[in-house]
Amino acid sequence: MEPEDIKRMIEDAFPQDTVEVEGDGQHFQALVVSSQFEGKGLLERHKMVYAALGENMAERIHALSLKTLTPEQWEG
Amino acid sequence: MSEDIVSKIQSQINENDIIIYMKGTPEMPQCGFSAQTVGLFKSYGVPFTSVDVLEDPEIRQSIKEFSNWPTIPQVYIKGQFVGGCDICNEMHASGELEKMAKSAVAG
């Protein structure tokens, strides 16, 4: 599993948003900046990203560390 | 997911102010993320219960369906799912996790 694969899957659920992914094949860090996060708590934001990854998350991604920000938080 | 596993999990999270589903035990964690998460609660000096999912494969799978969260560890405070290692670290950084933990055990 490559960072680009994860980035593409997240981008499908977060079109026109900022998505950056780094990783070593097993452990990944992703930054997602989207106005879809407005008014949503941390858990809900992370669940939205996990939903975009679907089954892959369970089997092929051992660990994913997420930064989920709204545009204001990102520029702020 | 069978009925009795759901009610087993439900009673575990209701009967414990803080419960952590983890790989291994607080003394012998078997995964870095479980160790990190348990470490946060140890640093707060609050009592908590842990469930070693490696000892119970059925719980290990069912807890993920129960919370709709794909990974272990999983932390529940006052019957509410809080998150995994990543979210606990972020809430620790903001001080929110310690506040939640201490008020949960203050009872």
Side-chain angles (χ1 to χ4, degrees), chain A residues 18 29-33 37 46 49 65-69, chain B residues 86 90:
Chain A
T18 301
Q29 300 81 35
L31 165 71
V32 184
V33 180
F37 293 143
H46 283 222
V49 177
S65 171
L66 293 175
K67 278 274 162 276
T68 50
L69 305 172
Chain B
D86 201 25
E90 198 159 335

Side-chain angles (χ1 to χ4, degrees), chain A residues 42 46-47 50 57 63 65-66, chain B residues 33 67-70 86 90:
Chain A
L42 209 49
H46 283 222
K47 279 190 172 181
Y50 280 154
M57 181 61 212
S65 171
L66 293 175
Chain B
F33 300 111
S67 58
N68 183 23
W69 186 262
D86 201 25
E90 198 159 335

Side-chain angles (χ1 to χ4, degrees), chain A residues 1 12 14 34 37 39-40 42 45 60 65 70 73 75:
Chain A
M1 181 65 87
D12 289 346
F14 293 89
S34 168
F37 293 143
K40 295 208 168 63
L42 209 49
R45 295 182 184 192
R60 290 155 62 209
S65 171
T70 60
Q73 289 169 324
E75 286 128 17

Side-chain angles (χ1 to χ4, degrees), chain A:
Chain A
M1 181 65 87
E2 288 309 316
E4 292 70 37
D5 305 325
I6 295 177
K7 183 173 157 58
R8 224 177 319 106
M9 283 186 270
I10 296 177
E11 280 174 337
D12 289 346
F14 293 89
Q16 294 104 31
D17 286 325
T18 301
V19 179
E20 284 156 18
V21 181
E22 293 153 17
D24 62 7
Q26 271 294 316
H27 301 86
F28 297 91
Q29 300 81 35
L31 165 71
V32 184
V33 180
S34 168
S35 51
Q36 289 183 55
F37 293 143
E38 254 134 37
K40 295 208 168 63
L42 209 49
L43 185 58
E44 213 176 328
R45 295 182 184 192
H46 283 222
K47 279 190 172 181
M48 289 163 72
V49 177
Y50 280 154
L53 297 173
E55 272 320 305
N56 293 293
M57 181 61 212
E59 286 101 29
R60 290 155 62 209
I61 302 170
H62 174 58
L64 174 60
S65 171
L66 293 175
K67 278 274 162 276
T68 50
L69 305 172
T70 60
E72 294 73 37
Q73 289 169 324
W74 173 238
E75 286 128 17

